[in-house]
Amino acid sequence: MTAPISFRSIYAIGKRELRSFFISPVAYIIITGFIFISSYFFTAYVSSTNQADLSGTVNNIAIVLFLILPFLTMKLLSEEKKSGTFELLQTSPVTPLDIVLGKYFSALLLYGLMLFFTAGFPIYLEIKADPYWPVIAVQYLGLFLTGSAIIGIGLAASAFTENQIVSGIIGFSISFGLLLISWLGTQTTGLVKAVIDELTIINHLDPFVNGVIAVKDIIYFLLWIVFSVFLSSKAVESQSWRS
Amino acid sequence: MVKVENLIKNYGTVPALKGISFNVKQGEIIGLLGPNGAGKTTTMRILSGFMPASSGTAEINGLEIHENPLAAKKMIGYLPENPPLYTEMRVKDYLVFTAELKGVERKKIPGRLDYVLESAGLKDRRNYIIGKLSKGYRQRVGIAMALINDPALMILDEPTIGLDPNQIIEIRSLIKNLAGSRTIILSTHILPEVSQTCQRVIIIAQGQIAAQDTHEGLQKLASGKTRIILKTQGRQNDACSLVMRIPGVNDAVIKNDYIEITADSGVTITPEIARILVNSAIDIIELKTEIATLEEIFHKITLEEKL
């Protein structure tokens, strides 16, 4: 089963998925909710600090991502299993990796669109004051990577069940857990603390929020993405393992 | 074209297939017949590459499906029992998507789309949302999907299940029209379907092949004897004794207005009967070889298997 990936298949699967997001109300509800909540945080932060700075808003948006992205990813593979369309994918000449990457990129693209709609925030700052754009770019990169990792985790969760609710709860629990363990890090010492601190997702976003790009943090997010995609494709492939 | 050897499939400890072997020639329409739970769907799912067998091989044009899944799947059009439809999509969008998925060349897609819409009788439904279509039309969309990559082998799992009688007739004639050089394997638990659509029948019962033959062959197999019905214009007793003299005739019994003749199967005996009776100036009203219905055969074969 060592076939090269087919960009055409990935494109076809991703395009269909993206379309289905917009045919159902899911995409509209998620995008609207996201814009609404993040605008609220932006307004609150800017009006209270009176600074041409996005860092507070970025931190808040990151929390919103943990709550909202699992709704986007919970159906990715589980819905196909439930409705039987998985049988079509499985019997088509595509590899498990093609299927998984198509799904992943569709959700990633939708997330990119969500971030795009927040471009109004820095533009507003530019009109009213003089923000430092390189930092803003780094902050957006951090947000994008955080979201990419959460989407990966959600995708993997949806690969293991045909129940969307279960998939959503698992995806949410794991990614939110990676946020919550930061508290554990403050309660422990030594090696345990070091490991927990490294695992905590927000610790790797912080440098981006401060305008710093570190290879270590990029690798952290990439590892989650690669691991999730790998795990998902193995879950899909496991259907065709001899038992 | 299709070579299946000793397929075994266990679901956990439950055996679903206990060693199934059969061959299908190019252009043949094969019916997999069997009661629910006999292993028809499992066989088809293995053939289509949806899941692997526990052991055994299934080759399509020399390619083992589990060893060469991508190349083998390109030759197959598979319609599962529940058509795998994205109900929110429009018919034409869905078919274009499946064409892309199955690796149909980009420039060939418009032509294939027109062809399958035409063949499946979906031309006036191309812009419909699949979820709004009736069950019969959804089945057509499923068949169009299975046909989109111009497959050498079509695998159709219960293609007429849940349809009303008119739709069933339409889908059956659709399947017959698809045949030509294409090989088709379809499953059903409806007996007349097989005799109307398929050239050869494989009866599966309890994970094993109970019988495989042409429709006619199965009928002989089921009875072992041929039953002939003879109606004459009077002189039934004379007719009886005359017929009994013919070699191969086992028995001739008068029943109300006809005579029931039992003969060894494999011997064509009716011309001889006719000749003898005409020579003796007995008028024949009716002389026919009675064909056992597939229902009788099916019942007999699957029942014997259980005993």
Side-chain angles (χ1 to χ4, degrees):
Chain A
M1 290 271 297
T2 48
I5 54 169
S6 150
F7 290 106
R8 207 173 154 226
S9 311
I10 296 172
Y11 176 73
I13 292 166
K15 189 176 69 179
R16 194 214 60 78
E17 188 70 34
L18 204 58
R19 263 191 182 176
S20 86
F21 276 128
F22 285 98
I23 291 173
S24 74
V26 177
Y28 302 103
I29 293 173
I30 288 180
I31 292 175
T32 311
F34 178 73
I35 295 172
F36 187 78
I37 301 171
S38 47
S39 303
Y40 169 79
F41 283 129
F42 175 72
T43 315
Y45 184 77
V46 169
S47 56
S48 65
T49 60
N50 240 343
Q51 283 176 352
D53 172 28
L54 272 184
S55 53
T57 312
V58 166
N59 274 327
N60 287 327
I61 288 179
I63 308 292
V64 176
L65 295 181
F66 286 92
L67 302 172
I68 237 172
L69 289 182
F71 286 108
L72 203 69
T73 56
M74 65 182 195
K75 76 173 187 106
L76 284 177
L77 287 160
S78 51
E79 189 181 45
E80 303 255 7
K81 289 187 177 182
K82 185 89 178 173
S83 70
T85 48
F86 196 66
E87 207 159 344
L88 170 66
L89 297 179
Q90 193 79 2
T91 54
S92 294
V94 296
T95 63
L97 195 58
D98 293 340
I99 298 173
V100 167
L101 285 177
K103 296 278 174 183
Y104 183 72
F105 286 130
S106 69
L108 203 61
L109 219 64
L110 187 60
Y111 171 53
L113 189 66
M114 284 161 61
L115 278 189
F116 175 78
F117 282 122
T118 65
F121 306 160
I123 291 170
Y124 176 83
L125 293 183
E126 177 67 29
I127 293 167
K128 293 285 179 183
D130 188 20
Y132 189 52
W133 279 92
V135 169
I136 290 175
V138 173
Q139 288 168 336
Y140 266 90
L141 176 63
L143 270 187
F144 185 71
L145 286 172
T146 307
S148 307
I150 300 173
I151 289 170
I153 292 166
L155 171 70
S158 79
F160 284 92
T161 172
E162 59 167 51
N163 187 322
Q164 287 193 38
I165 306 288
V166 172
S167 149
I169 291 173
I170 293 175
F172 170 76
S173 307
I174 295 174
S175 48
F176 207 63
L178 288 174
L179 179 72
L180 291 184
I181 52 169
S182 68
W183 173 80
L184 258 183
T186 64
Q187 303 295 309
T188 48
T189 51
L191 184 65
V192 179
K193 177 181 166 57
V195 171
I196 290 174
D197 281 350
E198 282 310 318
L199 270 178
T200 304
I201 208 164
I202 218 79
N203 290 348
H204 293 276
L205 175 64
D206 275 344
F208 287 99
V209 175
N210 297 324
V212 178
I213 303 179
V215 175
K216 181 184 93 161
D217 301 316
I218 291 185
I219 289 177
Y220 172 85
F221 289 114
L222 287 183
L223 276 180
W224 272 115
I225 295 165
V226 171
F227 175 66
S228 307
V229 167
F230 174 78
L231 198 64
S232 312
S233 93
K234 284 294 155 190
V236 170
E237 197 191 301
S238 69
Q239 292 273 329
S240 53
W241 289 343
R242 283 189 192 265
S243 55
Chain B
M1 167 83 211
V2 178
K3 205 167 130 195
V4 172
E5 263 171 39
N6 205 25
L7 276 191
I8 294 177
K9 177 73 187 178
N10 302 313
Y11 293 112
T13 54
V14 183
L17 296 182
K18 300 171 188 163
I20 283 196
S21 305
F22 61 88
N23 291 316
V24 186
K25 289 197 286 282
Q26 187 176 346
E28 252 188 317
I29 305 184
I30 295 286
L32 288 186
L33 184 63
N36 291 324
K40 303 185 297 282
T41 295
T42 303
T43 306
M44 297 186 124
R45 284 183 155 181
I46 292 170
L47 265 179
S48 66
F50 177 67
M51 62 185 186
S54 302
S55 70
T57 57
E59 278 178 20
I60 290 124
N61 270 347
L63 291 172
E64 212 286 322
I65 180 79
H66 192 68
E67 304 298 324
N68 295 294
L70 294 188
K73 282 172 185 174
K74 278 198 173 161
M75 294 185 285
I76 302 174
Y78 168 54
L79 176 64
E81 187 173 337
N82 297 310
L85 305 173
Y86 295 98
T87 47
E88 78 280 2
M89 291 180 97
R90 291 183 193 282
V91 173
K92 69 170 190 317
D93 294 337
Y94 171 75
L95 292 173
V96 168
F97 165 66
T98 54
E100 290 170 346
L101 198 64
K102 289 163 180 234
V104 177
E105 276 178 60
R106 197 174 301 272
K107 61 176 192 290
K108 285 189 181 164
I109 290 180
R112 289 304 302 168
L113 178 67
D114 286 342
Y115 174 77
V116 298
L117 285 170
E118 176 81 50
S119 323
L122 283 167
K123 263 190 145 173
D124 54 339
R125 296 286 193 283
R126 60 189 293 152
N127 288 315
Y128 278 54
I129 289 170
I130 294 173
K132 300 238 153 82
L133 291 176
S134 69
K135 203 157 179 184
Y137 271 103
R138 287 187 197 199
Q139 200 67 32
R140 285 164 185 261
V141 177
I143 291 174
M145 173 277 288
L147 198 59
I148 193 95
N149 57 334
D150 197 10
L153 169 67
M154 287 186 89
I155 302 173
L156 310 170
D157 195 356
E158 302 263 7
T160 58
I161 202 166
L163 301 182
D164 71 37
N166 287 330
Q167 293 168 332
I168 290 177
I169 292 168
E170 286 169 16
I171 297 288
R172 271 183 203 153
S173 71
L174 171 58
I175 292 170
K176 270 191 182 168
N177 291 336
L178 293 180
S181 62
R182 239 182 279 281
T183 308
I184 299 179
I185 300 179
L186 66 88
S187 76
T188 179
H189 64 274
I190 307 164
L191 301 156
E193 186 142 301
V194 178
S195 45
Q196 286 167 24
T197 324
C198 306
Q199 295 152 354
R200 198 151 62 89
V201 186
I202 297 174
I203 296 181
I204 298 183
Q206 298 177 325
Q208 282 169 313
I209 292 183
Q212 55 174 319
D213 209 333
T214 57
H215 186 189
E216 292 74 24
L218 279 178
Q219 281 162 343
K220 284 182 190 154
L221 187 74
S223 59
K225 300 281 175 197
T226 304
R227 206 156 49 140
I228 299 162
I229 301 297
L230 169 67
K231 277 189 194 171
T232 55
Q233 189 82 47
R235 295 179 63 192
Q236 285 189 324
N237 287 326
D238 294 349
C240 252
S241 50
L242 281 170
V243 166
M244 281 296 282
R245 281 182 220 154
I246 301 171
V249 171
N250 305 122
D251 201 7
V253 185
I254 300 173
K255 296 207 169 168
N256 296 331
D257 62 335
Y258 67 91
I259 303 168
E260 188 186 274
I261 303 165
T262 315
D264 294 337
S265 61
V267 196
T268 310
I269 233 159
T270 38
E272 185 63 23
I273 296 174
R275 207 171 305 123
I276 286 186
L277 294 179
V278 170
N279 286 343
S280 313
I282 298 173
D283 294 334
I284 302 171
I285 297 173
E286 194 178 340
L287 177 61
K288 65 170 181 188
T289 310
E290 188 156 84
I291 296 168
T293 65
L294 205 50
E295 205 130 2
E296 286 168 18
I297 300 165
F298 176 69
H299 189 66
K300 192 158 190 264
I301 290 173
T302 51
L303 208 67
E304 270 171 8
E305 198 62 23
K306 275 178 200 160
L307 295 173

